[in-house]
Amino acid sequence: MSHSATIAAAATSAKAAEWRVLELHPSTYRTHSIHAHDRVWTETNCYVDLWIELLHSLGADPTPALAFVLSADCDGRQWDFVKMQSEDLRTLYGIDVGEMNVWRPVLEHVREGFADGVLVTVEVDGFWLPDTAGTSYRNQHTKTTIVPNSVDETEKVLGYFHNRGYFELSGADFDGVFNLAPAAHAEVLLPYVEQIRLGRNLIAGGVEDRDLAVARAHLARRPSANPVEALARKIIADIPLVQTGGPDAFHLWSFGLLRQCGATAELAADLVGYLAGRGVPEIAAAGPHFLQVAQGAKAVQFRMARAARGRAVALDEPLADMAANWSAAMDIVSNAL
């Protein structure tokens, strides 16, 4: 049975108040190797991470869809908030992703999608997500993205993809995520929602040579200047800001600069390893350089954490090494592709 047929059967056979698309449970869920605990960066950002796990759960290899790393840039203020591109998802896997008009309560749209075998991405408040315990859960209101996969409206239980795994929430968290209880708050803005239409997916047939075409397209859009050099200038300029901003401001600052850059570089190492196995063996030499950037970003983050406690830091050398390794890696990729 194809993935699309399996998905439709799972949705339409569910009980009236209980809907499920993929047969998953948090207790038995196994994350993709990209999210292994021994990674330099175990998470990238909520959107990339949930797509890695969703594609993995659909039976697809998410690595070809990481080609966006080759066109990543830094605008001198922050590193790109990299994302899986909808056109890449369509080209590689036959999955259609598009913004949805939200004109009714979000739960109703989720339920209707399940009936059709359609998943959705939903922006929610991390305050209600128990997988973020120790950070935002019941502590602070933060915007993040999930993909609901199962809903039991009677028991108020939601199964969802978020960050690097698959989780469940229930009770008051269910009401909070869907803005339900004790009544909907009129001042809560409608979230950004995307439909994920799986019916024409190509997963069972593999990606053939489409993966190489997608990688080359992103390489053609790469920035003309080294983005790590722009990142380095911004970090050096921001040392006084971090020294006076305190730990909370540091974490927000670091997410948009060092974490996004480091995670992008580590994903780039995954991508070139994959492409080497797809008939471009010479591209594998870029992998160690990308990993050096990922590790360098982590080391600089540790130094900047000391700066957030008011200490002086020296960053010229590690930032220069990061920029040199990024340049070397991209030269190898460019020559190979």
Side-chain angles (χ1 to χ4, degrees):
M1 181 181 291
S2 70
H3 284 277
S4 57
T6 303
I7 291 164
T12 56
S13 65
K15 294 182 291 185
E18 182 179 354
W19 300 86
R20 180 182 301 273
V21 178
L22 300 172
E23 290 296 331
L24 301 172
H25 193 276
S27 64
T28 56
Y29 187 78
R30 297 293 178 266
T31 62
H32 190 272
S33 59
I34 286 175
H35 288 141
H37 289 289
D38 61 352
R39 301 275 291 185
V40 180
W41 298 90
T42 56
E43 294 183 352
T44 58
N45 61 54
C46 61
Y47 196 82
V48 169
D49 287 331
L50 70 84
W51 266 107
I52 288 170
E53 295 303 328
L54 177 56
L55 289 168
H56 171 52
S57 298
L58 290 169
D61 183 354
T63 316
L66 303 179
F68 58 80
V69 298
L70 300 180
S71 55
D73 199 359
C74 177
D75 65 2
R77 298 176 180 84
Q78 61 183 345
W79 191 268
D80 281 352
F81 189 89
V82 292
K83 298 180 69 173
M84 298 281 191
Q85 302 295 302
S86 58
E87 62 267 29
D88 296 346
L89 294 169
R90 183 183 300 111
T91 298
L92 292 167
Y93 312 109
I95 296 174
D96 290 310
V97 182
E99 183 176 356
M100 183 178 182
N101 175 34
V102 180
W103 61 279
R104 292 202 304 257
V106 173
L107 182 55
E108 292 186 25
H109 289 298
V110 171
R111 184 196 312 127
E112 286 183 344
F114 284 2
D116 296 332
V118 172
L119 293 166
V120 296
T121 70
V122 186
E123 282 188 343
V124 300
D125 186 348
F127 186 89
W128 303 109
L129 300 181
D131 66 282
T132 65
T135 54
S136 60
Y137 182 55
R138 300 299 181 94
N139 180 49
Q140 61 182 150
H141 295 281
T142 60
K143 182 180 70 173
T144 191
T145 302
I146 67 171
V147 172
N149 173 63
S150 68
V151 170
D152 186 330
E153 294 184 60
T154 301
E155 298 298 325
K156 292 187 176 182
V157 178
L158 172 70
Y160 64 98
F161 292 95
H162 182 237
N163 286 342
R164 55 188 296 272
Y166 183 75
F167 309 95
E168 278 188 353
L169 57 78
S170 60
D173 296 331
F174 186 94
D175 292 336
V177 159
F178 289 117
N179 189 29
L180 297 176
H185 296 285
E187 67 274 14
V188 175
L189 296 176
L190 291 174
Y192 179 79
V193 176
E194 295 170 312
Q195 285 186 323
I196 303 173
R197 294 181 289 277
L198 304 165
R200 295 184 294 179
N201 77 79
L202 307 171
I203 293 170
V207 296
E208 297 180 338
D209 290 333
R210 299 189 301 275
D211 50 0
L212 298 177
V214 168
R216 289 176 179 132
H218 278 282
L219 180 65
R221 295 195 294 269
R222 68 191 182 278
S224 58
N226 186 336
V228 180
E229 291 180 352
L231 176 83
R233 290 191 294 270
K234 175 62 173 173
I235 290 171
I236 295 295
D238 280 355
I239 290 175
L241 174 68
V242 172
Q243 287 173 323
T244 58
D248 291 340
F250 162 73
H251 290 300
L252 294 172
W253 174 89
S254 183
F255 176 87
L257 290 165
L258 290 165
R259 176 167 152 182
Q260 293 310 297
C261 172
T264 296
E266 190 166 18
L267 293 178
D270 296 316
L271 176 68
V272 298
Y274 166 86
L275 293 174
R278 288 284 294 120
V280 193
E282 60 272 24
I283 205 171
H289 291 291
F290 281 130
L291 283 176
Q292 285 293 319
V293 178
Q295 293 161 355
K298 180 71 76 169
V300 171
Q301 179 176 260
F302 286 140
R303 295 195 189 190
M304 289 300 287
R306 293 198 293 270
R309 296 191 291 272
R311 300 180 184 178
V313 293
L315 298 175
D316 288 346
E317 183 176 347
L319 289 172
D321 287 343
M322 286 172 59
N325 274 291
W326 183 271
S327 180
M330 291 301 293
D331 284 346
I332 294 169
V333 172
S334 179
N335 291 330
L337 287 179

